[in-house]
Amino acid sequence: MMQLQDLLYGVTIKELVGKTDREINALNFDSRKVSKDDIFFAVVGTVADGHQFIEQTIEQGAGVIICENLPEIQDFTVTYIKVENTAVALGIIAGNYFGNPSADLKLIGITGTNGKTTIATILFKLFKDLGYKTGLLSTVENYINDTVVAATHTTPNPIALNQLLREMVDAGCDYCFMEVSSHAVSQHRIEGLTFSGGVFSNLTHDHLDFHKTFDAYLKAKKAFFDVLPKSAFALTNIDDKNGVVMLQNTKAHKKTYALKQLADFKAKIIENQFSGLHLDIDNEDVYFKLVGSFNAYNLLAVYGTAILLEQDKLKVLTLLSRLSGAEGRFDYITSADKIIGIVDYAHTPDAVQNVLSTIANIRKGTEQVITVIGCGGDRDKTKRPIMAQVACDWSDKVILTSDNPRTEDPQAIISEMEAGVSPTNKRKTLSILDRKEAIKTACHLAQPGDIILVAGKGHEKYQEINGVRNHFDDKEILLEQLKPIS
């Protein structure tokens, strides 16, 4: 149990009704979970407003209400704290509740549209191999050293986040590498955290269902760098036109990486094959297991981060050369008759083009590229025709199918994708509603040497239809159909 007055450090209070010398049991922003002596945070969310549940939580035993608007009728046994933004207060108080664990390790945040998971995952693997106890907070999985903790969001809520960081500190972790989503910045999920560094990968068309405009999306990413302290570093990809924007108002040490221009950390692609990348990185000749120019950027971001964290250059490059990427990111298999099947999480137009352009650079010229692709329901609709157009422009055959339709009609989603298929591309496009049938059809169409890309779901082991998640694994289906060599 903790005293309320100790938890309020750093919180800007507009109005206080009641006493602060009272014991607190737990923190909650979910009204259904509130019990005796809890603090209830009345957060204004995208679906519901927590202020509607204040009375209910008091009946359940809440001792403290933190809100943006005080209720007209108040309970004299309850402490009410009015703040400007409840979500901001939640982040600060959650940090205080768990002893501000982010200050007790080096927390590195990675943001951008594509590459976050790969960069964070490789950093985690690298620093473990360098001999450090390390944590990972990612879209795929969270890790505390070798212990896996299931991931539900790219960036967890402030209570879960600080609890995980506390567990990492208690387990002796020196570092934590964390994906920072634009949603997390906008919803103040990272409020109150102490970052030792921030990394920017790139910015392309995504999440406009949430942010509404590209400018709002860019500002959400930039806001992360704006609040980095002087003691931190800000590492950005300056080959991306938005890379310099991220550094405009940051107090952190500004550092850059690039393939195409002068930068603090520079690389050049010498060779790009399915077997991996051959790079000149910081004037060292190195072979890597990862494939594609997008992974050259990811490796460079990892390398730059490691050097900024004062690691030995040659040791870092040696260990990096042995590492594979994140699950479901250009994850490929080869069948006995030399058909290549690739599973990738690409779910934005730019990510799809990155993967397909990588395949185009590697292919010999005679083999077909067959792409299976869908778009998620209840998400940014504007990218659907563009996704289909990109897939058609870079593939010999395209099968439009379901992704995670969620609460939308999957056929309606496919129809919106079909709007991006030009008359000349219609002849090479099929629409198959059932994703498993779509993957099976691609495998039946493939001839020896052909390349099949299954895009959109990557590491996911489910398909969400009408709020129900059923087991579904793109790679599992590919393995069944292609029967690889080993």
Side-chain angles (χ1 to χ4, degrees):
M1 297 279 260
M2 295 186 73
Q3 286 283 315
L4 173 61
Q5 57 201 14
D6 297 329
L7 296 176
L8 295 175
Y9 179 76
V11 178
T12 303
I13 298 170
K14 292 180 80 176
E15 200 172 335
L16 172 67
V17 179
K19 58 180 185 176
T20 59
D21 59 336
R22 61 186 303 158
E23 289 195 329
I24 299 303
N25 176 46
L27 313 181
N28 263 306
F29 59 89
D30 184 338
S31 60
R32 296 165 298 183
K33 296 177 181 176
V34 172
S35 58
K36 187 169 168 50
D37 295 326
D38 286 0
I39 297 180
F40 173 63
F41 295 84
V43 177
V44 180
T46 51
V47 179
D49 182 349
H51 290 77
Q52 298 171 328
F53 307 105
I54 288 175
E55 196 175 323
Q56 174 197 320
T57 60
I58 291 170
E59 287 171 8
Q60 290 165 218
V64 180
I65 302 295
I66 296 185
C67 53
E68 294 169 23
N69 299 298
L70 291 173
E72 287 181 21
I73 301 169
Q74 294 166 8
D75 186 319
F76 74 93
T77 66
V78 173
T79 301
Y80 298 87
I81 299 170
K82 182 180 176 180
V83 294
E84 185 72 39
N85 187 307
T86 315
V88 170
L90 172 59
I92 296 167
I93 291 170
N96 292 338
Y97 185 82
F98 290 101
N100 293 304
S102 62
D104 292 333
L105 44 63
K106 288 190 184 296
L107 178 63
I108 310 299
I110 299 101
T111 197
T113 306
N114 303 311
K116 295 189 298 294
T117 304
T118 297
I119 294 167
T121 303
I122 296 174
L123 278 165
F124 168 73
K125 291 179 179 179
L126 172 65
F127 274 73
K128 274 188 70 188
D129 288 352
L130 284 165
Y132 296 100
K133 290 184 175 179
T134 308
L136 172 68
L137 293 166
S138 83
T139 306
V140 179
E141 282 176 322
N142 299 322
Y143 271 91
I144 301 170
N145 291 321
D146 296 319
T147 305
V148 183
V149 182
T152 54
H153 291 76
T154 299
T155 313
N157 69 67
I159 299 170
L161 186 49
N162 278 280
Q163 185 171 2
L164 279 165
L165 289 168
R166 169 46 55 198
E167 288 172 21
M168 288 176 190
V169 171
D170 291 347
C173 289
D174 306 289
Y175 296 91
C176 174
F177 300 102
M178 169 185 173
E179 289 186 54
V180 176
S181 68
S182 55
H183 289 68
V185 178
S186 298
Q187 295 171 349
H188 304 286
R189 282 185 242 156
I190 58 168
E191 200 71 41
L193 297 183
T194 304
F195 284 92
S196 297
V199 181
F200 171 75
S201 60
N202 50 63
L203 199 70
T204 62
H205 190 119
D206 201 15
H207 300 309
L208 298 195
D209 56 314
F210 178 81
H211 295 288
K212 307 306 178 193
T213 66
F214 187 82
D215 187 55
Y217 180 42
L218 177 134
K219 283 176 178 171
K221 297 290 187 189
K222 182 179 174 293
F224 167 59
F225 291 92
D226 289 350
V227 297
L228 288 175
K230 281 183 182 178
S231 56
F233 65 80
L235 175 63
T236 192
N237 171 12
I238 52 163
D239 282 347
D240 184 292
K241 64 180 184 289
N242 299 297
V244 174
V245 177
M246 297 298 139
L247 302 181
Q248 282 175 354
N249 302 104
T250 189
K251 299 183 191 74
H253 300 287
K254 301 174 183 181
K255 296 291 177 181
T256 59
Y257 67 96
L259 292 178
K260 298 174 183 173
Q261 55 190 303
L262 286 173
D264 295 304
F265 302 103
K266 186 95 171 64
K268 180 184 175 187
I269 298 173
I270 298 167
E271 199 172 20
N272 181 17
Q273 301 291 339
F274 276 120
S275 55
L277 278 164
H278 178 193
L279 299 181
D280 177 316
I281 188 164
D282 215 2
N283 298 315
E284 297 291 340
D285 208 40
V286 191
Y287 289 85
F288 298 95
K289 289 183 178 180
L290 279 74
V291 181
S293 59
F294 59 96
N295 272 323
Y297 281 104
N298 293 336
L299 285 161
L300 196 48
V302 170
Y303 170 75
T305 301
I307 300 305
L308 290 169
L309 290 171
E310 301 178 341
Q311 301 305 306
D312 179 75
K313 172 182 174 178
L314 293 178
K315 197 169 182 182
V316 165
L317 290 174
T318 302
L319 292 172
L320 270 181
S321 70
R322 300 171 189 165
L323 292 176
S324 54
E327 183 188 0
R329 271 61 175 179
F330 212 91
D331 201 344
Y332 76 94
I333 58 172
T334 307
S335 73
D337 52 0
K338 301 290 189 289
I339 295 170
I340 292 170
I342 301 165
V343 171
D344 196 273
Y345 190 53
H347 59 281
T348 67
D350 188 67
V352 173
Q353 185 170 326
N354 280 340
V355 175
L356 285 168
S357 64
T358 292
I359 293 167
N361 290 335
I362 296 172
R363 69 193 288 203
K364 304 290 188 292
T366 53
E367 64 276 65
Q368 293 187 104
V369 175
I370 304 168
T371 298
V372 179
I373 190 167
C375 287
D378 303 332
R379 298 293 186 269
D380 185 358
K381 292 185 177 188
T382 60
K383 68 183 180 184
R384 291 172 185 173
I386 307 167
M387 296 267 284
Q389 181 189 340
V390 169
C392 288
D393 289 347
W394 288 84
S395 311
D396 300 290
K397 287 190 175 77
V398 174
I399 302 175
L400 303 178
T401 189
S402 297
D403 189 285
N404 292 316
R406 299 184 177 90
T407 65
E408 283 195 68
D409 174 4
Q411 187 56 63
I413 297 171
I414 291 174
S415 297
E416 289 181 8
M417 293 184 75
E418 287 171 341
V421 180
S422 67
T424 53
N425 281 332
K426 274 192 166 63
R427 59 180 175 76
K428 63 179 178 183
T429 308
L430 290 171
S431 295
I432 300 174
L433 197 63
D434 185 289
R435 190 175 179 90
K436 185 170 184 176
E437 284 305 311
I439 297 169
K440 286 169 77 171
T441 301
C443 294
H444 290 313
L445 290 172
Q447 300 296 313
D450 287 352
I451 300 160
I452 300 165
L453 169 66
V454 183
K457 286 173 59 57
H459 64 282
E460 292 177 350
K461 301 292 187 286
Y462 63 85
Q463 186 176 36
E464 186 175 332
I465 303 169
N466 289 323
V468 179
R469 289 188 173 189
N470 301 300
H471 176 75
F472 197 99
D473 186 333
D474 285 350
K475 190 171 181 181
E476 196 177 273
I477 297 163
L478 268 183
L479 286 166
E480 284 170 8
Q481 296 299 310
L482 295 181
K483 298 177 176 59
I485 302 159
S486 60

